[in-house]
Amino acid sequence: MDPNNYRPISILSNASKLLERHICQHIYNFFSSYDLLYKAQSGFRPHHSCETALIRLIDMWHKNIEEGQLNGFVLIDFHKVFDMINIDLLLSKLKLYQFDETLLKWMNSYLKERNHSIKINDYLSSLTPITHGVPQGSIIVPLLFIIFVNDLHLSTNLPIDMYADDSTLHTNGKTVAELNEKLTTAVSSVNDWCTSNDMVINEKKTKSMTICTYQKETKIGSCE
């Protein structure tokens, strides 16, 4: 077992979850009313799912193939996103969305004023304040996360489809070289966004792929 694959779990009370659900619904209604959420974000939203994200992408790839073009895309995976969220940066983004001071203070208290300890058998560690990450198992946290990454698409000029922390950069072109140039530039821009937002791309789980017809694959010898 790799200890890096585990994290402390916050035990949340039922009263806390009821309050979270109420606040979460109002925040989501606010973002929906003003159409503030990125339209290609399919995670943690009603009437959105993996299926809707895949249908959108597959339709686009089929259209490009019918027009005689290659599809290129990069599947981006972020490293331990819920553990690495910079809480101060999240609060500053909420402020930009015109959250009032009362709600910001509540968010600050809910997210920052927490301590964790770890118990292994009979040993209990001392309490340590939390500076990064959000409570696992929380009702409101998934919504806060997609708000946190809501400006990711602004960092690149290529389309990007997202499902929670899984993001797909995609483009089309006549040659593999054209695809490589576009996607390399886009991934570099996303990496710059990550640097500014204290996020890290998981290089081991980030993959690139080309989709085309069998005939084009035979001709270029590089489709997967």
Side-chain angles (χ1 to χ4, degrees), residues 3-4 6-11 115-130:
N4 291 321
Y6 298 88
R7 56 165 290 178
I9 297 174
S10 297
I11 301 175
N115 295 291
H116 267 169
S117 64
I118 297 176
K119 184 177 183 180
I120 301 177
N121 297 325
D122 294 328
Y123 177 78
L124 181 66
S125 71
S126 58
L127 289 173
T128 302
I130 298 173

Side-chain angles (χ1 to χ4, degrees), residues 1 12 17 21 49 65 72 97 123 149 154 160 162 198 207 218:
M1 287 190 302
L12 304 172
K17 291 183 178 181
R21 188 177 298 279
S49 64
I65 288 174
Y97 285 114
Y123 177 78
V149 298
L154 299 176
I160 182 168
M162 298 187 286
D198 285 352
K207 308 293 181 181
T218 302

Side-chain angles (χ1 to χ4, degrees), residues 95-119:
K95 188 173 183 178
L96 290 174
Y97 285 114
Q98 303 299 310
F99 279 42
D100 64 30
E101 288 300 320
T102 301
L103 185 54
L104 287 173
K105 288 179 180 179
W106 183 86
M107 287 288 184
N108 183 75
S109 173
Y110 178 78
L111 295 172
K112 292 185 68 175
E113 296 177 13
R114 289 179 178 271
N115 295 291
H116 267 169
S117 64
I118 297 176
K119 184 177 183 180

Side-chain angles (χ1 to χ4, degrees), residues 34-45:
Y34 292 96
D35 198 23
L36 295 175
L37 290 175
Y38 178 47
K39 63 180 181 180
Q41 169 62 267
S42 297
F44 309 129
R45 301 174 65 186

Side-chain angles (χ1 to χ4, degrees), residues 5 50 59 96-97 116 131 222:
N5 292 330
C50 290
D59 283 348
L96 290 174
Y97 285 114
H116 267 169
T131 58
S222 61

Side-chain angles (χ1 to χ4, degrees), residues 74 76-78 151-160 162 167-169 183-197 199-201 206:
V74 176
I76 298 175
D77 183 84
F78 295 112
D151 59 343
L152 172 59
H153 71 282
L154 299 176
S155 67
T156 173
N157 61 349
L158 289 186
I160 182 168
M162 298 187 286
S167 302
T168 303
L169 275 168
L183 290 171
T184 299
T185 300
V187 170
S188 178
S189 298
V190 171
N191 192 57
D192 290 340
W193 179 90
C194 289
T195 301
S196 301
N197 288 270
M199 305 291 281
V200 178
I201 294 177
T206 297

Side-chain angles (χ1 to χ4, degrees), residues 8-60:
I9 297 174
S10 297
I11 301 175
L12 304 172
S13 68
N14 289 332
S16 167
K17 291 183 178 181
L18 287 172
L19 179 59
E20 282 185 58
R21 188 177 298 279
H22 175 75
I23 294 175
C24 183
Q25 187 61 55
H26 280 275
I27 293 175
Y28 185 78
N29 289 343
F30 167 75
F31 274 84
S32 297
S33 298
Y34 292 96
D35 198 23
L36 295 175
L37 290 175
Y38 178 47
K39 63 180 181 180
Q41 169 62 267
S42 297
F44 309 129
R45 301 174 65 186
H47 312 299
H48 293 72
S49 64
C50 290
E51 286 80 5
T52 58
L54 286 172
I55 289 170
R56 171 185 165 84
L57 288 171
I58 291 171
D59 283 348
M60 193 178 306

